[in-house]
Amino acid sequence: MTTHVIHFTAPINSNTCGQLIDCCTRSLQQGASEIVLKIATMGGECSYGFSLYNFLISLPIPVTTHNLGTVESMGNIIFLAGSRRTACEYSKFLFHPFHWNLNGSVDHARMAEYAMSLDYDMHLYRAIVEERTRGAAQPLDILGCLTASPRIVNAEEALAAGLIDEVDCLTADASAVQCAIHS
């Protein structure tokens, strides 16, 4: 059994999305039997977060995700792709409303498109969180977090909310193949 550990300490964008897909693909080609994705991210772009979620759940080997210290915003979606999910004792998860930076001028049609896209992304985000935490002892009010009331969840609360399976520092075996993605 060969474990490959990927350290993702970066924002979620086009560049880091490609790097993570590349690391996972190389792990598969090298015969990995499991990928451990250790994450520390402040989040990033919705489109790449959803793409990485779909990519990670499609892998033919188990993926364990681990919160190294902070997983925020779209990072939560990538984190929830893990078939097993853990977090360090002194870690946090941040859920908050979506926001976009608009550069330049926009017309009415473009503004309507942006609003429609934000609503759709919120629906996808909510659906993934609810699906992956189904049966939790204390479910998150994810819609409230995404529309009005940001929330920080510590490791113990994450356990009760079904975000993680265990609080664990997840020490890596020295023989594990390792890869790092950073900005």
Side-chain angles (χ1 to χ4, degrees):
M1 185 163 137
T2 306
T3 299
H4 284 227
V5 178
I6 300 171
H7 305 274
F8 186 92
T9 58
I12 300 163
N13 57 38
S14 172
N15 182 42
T16 59
C17 178
Q19 288 181 58
L20 182 53
I21 290 171
D22 185 54
C23 279
C24 291
T25 302
R26 278 188 279 122
S27 292
L28 290 174
Q29 292 169 339
Q30 294 170 2
S33 56
E34 173 191 27
I35 291 175
V36 174
L37 178 57
K38 294 187 171 190
I39 305 170
T41 183
M42 294 180 73
E45 298 177 47
C46 291
S47 58
Y48 296 110
F50 292 129
S51 296
L52 285 171
Y53 173 84
N54 290 324
F55 173 77
L56 291 168
I57 65 168
S58 76
L59 291 174
I61 59 175
V63 175
T64 294
T65 51
H66 177 72
N67 182 338
L68 281 171
T70 188
V71 172
E72 299 183 6
S73 197
M74 272 318 281
N76 292 303
I77 295 303
I78 295 171
F79 182 83
L80 287 169
S83 54
R84 179 172 180 263
R85 301 183 300 268
T86 60
C88 293
E89 180 179 358
Y90 299 110
S91 62
K92 70 176 182 178
F93 296 85
L94 171 66
F95 296 88
H96 65 93
F98 292 158
H99 60 274
W100 278 7
N101 293 323
L102 298 178
N103 298 318
S105 63
V106 294
D107 61 17
H108 185 267
R110 181 55 56 109
M111 188 60 74
E113 176 188 335
Y114 289 157
M116 182 175 52
S117 186
L118 277 171
D119 286 344
Y120 192 80
D121 287 349
M122 184 174 60
H123 167 74
L124 286 178
Y125 194 108
R126 177 183 176 188
I128 290 169
V129 172
E130 288 178 352
E131 175 185 309
R132 301 300 274 186
T133 62
R134 188 166 286 123
Q138 296 177 339
L140 290 172
D141 172 15
I142 196 62
L143 188 56
C145 294
L146 297 177
T147 57
S149 303
R151 178 155 179 214
I152 292 176
V153 177
N154 68 30
E156 287 302 321
E157 293 166 330
L159 193 56
L163 294 171
I164 62 173
D165 301 305
E166 182 179 9
V167 177
D168 185 356
C169 69
L170 206 63
T171 304
D173 185 329
S175 67
V177 177
Q178 302 202 32
C179 173
I181 299 163
H182 49 85
S183 57

